[in-house]
Amino acid sequence: MKLDVDSCISRLYAGQLLDEWEVTQICEQTHALLAAEPNVVPISAPVTVVGDVHGQFFDLLEIFQIGGPPPSTNYLFLGDYVDRGHHSVETISLLCALKLRYPQRIHLLRGNHESRNITRTYGFYAECQTKYGSAQAWRAFTDLFDALALAVIIDDSIFCVHGGLSPSIVHVDQLRALDRFGEIPHEGALADLVWSDPGDDDTPGFARSQRGAGFTFGACVVDRFLHANGMAHVLRAHQLCMEGYVVLFNDRLSTVWSAPNYCYRCGNVASVLYVDPYLQRDFVTFDAAPESCAAAATPAPAPDAMYFL
C-alpha cells in the first residue's frame, strides 16, 4: 500500500495509533532522509528549540499550540523523544511523519534514549510490544535512530547538542568526521555528546560523570570550545530543570527541558526556546497539558537518581 503521510499526520494529531505497516514505511523513508544529512546540520534562525519530550505526547501537542504548528514554525528537537512517558510510540511517530513531510522545517537530533539498549530498559520497547504485539515497530524506530544527526549549528553561532561536550572533540570538524551510524557506544565522542552534562562553574576540565557515561565540564571547557570554533553559545537538553530551563557560565550555555511534570510526578514546569533572527534567546515556559495531568493517575516509574543530576 502507498503511504499517505498527510493522513498519518492528521490521525496522529488526533491521538490515533498508526498501523504497523505505516510506521515501518515512515521509518524507512525518514531513515533515508536523515542518513543524507551531515553529522552537524547548519540551520538558520528563527527557530524554536525543544528539549526532552520523553513520550509525553499531549505535552508535545501543547508545544505546537505554544510555538505554532509545523511548517509555519521552524523546529529543532534536541533528542530523547521516547521512554518514561506513556505515549512514546505516538510521539516519535508524529515527529518522524512531520520530518518526512517538512524536512527543512523539522530538525531532529539524537539523544541518549535513541538507543536499543536504553529503550529496552526504560519503556519504549515494552510499549511497542503492547501496542503492536511484536517488536517490529521498535526495530524500525531504533534502526532510524542510528541515522539521527548529532548536532546543529544555528547561524554559525549557537552549537546545539543533546548532552554536552567531549574531551575528544576540540573542533567541530572532528565531529563532522565521526561515523554516527550504529548503536551509541558506552564511551567515546559519540557517547559524550549524548550523555555529558555541565558541572560546577569552576570545574577546571572534564570529570567522569556519575551517570556512568560521558563527562561533566565547567565554564573553562565551554569557553575553550566556543573560542576554538568561533561560536557564542552552547544549547543542550538532557537534564531535568524544575523551572524549565537553566542558563549557566555567564550566558555561554543553556539547558532547555520540555517535559512538564516529568514522569507525571516531578512537578516541574517545562520550556521551549525561541531563537529570533538576531539570535536573541527567549525561553517560554508551560505546564503539563490537561491530558498529561490525567495520566498522573498512573505515573511512570520514578527516574533513577542520575536523571536529576
Side-chain angles (χ1 to χ4, degrees):
M1 287 184 282
K2 181 176 174 57
L3 181 69
D4 185 338
V5 178
D6 287 329
S7 172
C8 290
I9 290 171
S10 295
R11 285 180 283 136
L12 285 163
Y13 273 132
Q16 298 175 27
L17 199 65
L18 298 183
D19 291 338
E20 193 172 57
W21 72 268
E22 292 174 309
V23 166
T24 301
Q25 286 202 23
I26 286 174
C27 286
E28 290 174 352
Q29 294 181 35
T30 308
H31 184 285
L33 191 68
L34 293 169
E37 295 183 340
N39 287 355
V40 183
V41 179
I43 68 172
S44 298
V47 59
T48 296
V49 186
V50 182
D52 296 35
V53 178
H54 279 298
Q56 296 184 199
F57 176 72
F58 297 106
D59 296 316
L60 174 63
L61 298 185
E62 188 79 1
I63 287 169
F64 290 147
Q65 288 288 327
I66 294 166
S72 62
T73 299
N74 187 26
Y75 279 99
L76 167 59
F77 290 83
L78 298 180
D80 278 14
Y81 314 111
V82 299
D83 289 335
R84 304 295 194 188
H86 298 325
H87 301 94
S88 290
V89 169
E90 293 87 342
T91 298
I92 189 60
S93 295
L94 178 57
L95 290 175
C96 288
L98 289 170
K99 176 66 177 177
L100 190 58
R101 182 67 177 83
Y102 310 111
Q104 301 306 313
R105 302 294 285 174
I106 297 287
H107 309 280
L108 304 175
L109 294 186
R110 192 172 194 175
N112 60 304
H113 279 260
E114 279 66 67
S115 155
R116 293 168 184 83
N117 292 333
I118 297 295
T119 55
R120 278 187 175 274
T121 302
Y122 292 104
F124 185 48
Y125 177 83
E127 185 182 328
C128 289
Q129 287 276 15
T130 298
K131 291 180 176 177
Y132 288 110
S134 78
Q136 181 178 333
W138 175 81
R139 283 192 292 268
F141 281 121
T142 52
D143 286 348
L144 176 144
F145 294 161
D146 291 343
L148 288 166
L150 302 178
V152 155
I153 298 177
I154 303 173
D155 287 329
D156 299 319
S157 182
I158 302 176
F159 179 76
C160 307
V161 68
H162 176 71
L165 302 180
S166 169
S168 302
I169 303 292
V170 175
H171 197 277
V172 171
D173 284 344
Q174 295 170 283
L175 176 51
R176 293 188 174 104
L178 288 179
D179 179 4
R180 77 176 191 266
F181 298 99
E183 180 68 351
I184 298 171
H186 182 68
E187 58 185 10
L190 199 159
D192 299 341
L193 293 167
V194 300
W195 279 102
S196 293
D197 300 291
D200 295 332
D201 190 40
D202 57 356
T203 301
F206 287 93
R208 283 288 176 187
S209 172
Q210 294 182 42
R211 291 182 186 266
F215 292 85
T216 59
F217 54 90
C220 63
V221 168
V222 174
D223 288 343
R224 284 198 302 266
F225 178 83
L226 293 174
H227 178 76
N229 292 282
M231 290 187 279
H233 197 80
V234 173
L235 176 58
R236 41 90 66 179
H238 191 46
Q239 279 180 300
L240 171 63
C241 305
M242 293 304 294
E243 303 303 321
Y245 67 94
V246 171
V247 180
L248 299 173
F249 307 152
N250 195 29
D251 199 26
R252 303 282 267 175
L253 179 145
S254 298
T255 299
V256 56
W257 181 266
S258 302
N261 193 29
Y262 181 39
C263 293
Y264 315 110
R265 68 168 72 223
C266 289
N268 61 287
V269 299
S271 76
V272 296
L273 174 63
Y274 176 66
V275 181
D276 75 12
Y278 305 100
L279 301 182
Q280 297 300 304
R281 290 170 277 112
D282 181 29
F283 287 96
V284 179
T285 59
F286 63 99
D287 293 314
E291 298 89 342
S292 285
C293 293
T298 54
D304 297 337
M306 68 181 185
Y307 284 87
F308 291 92
L309 292 174

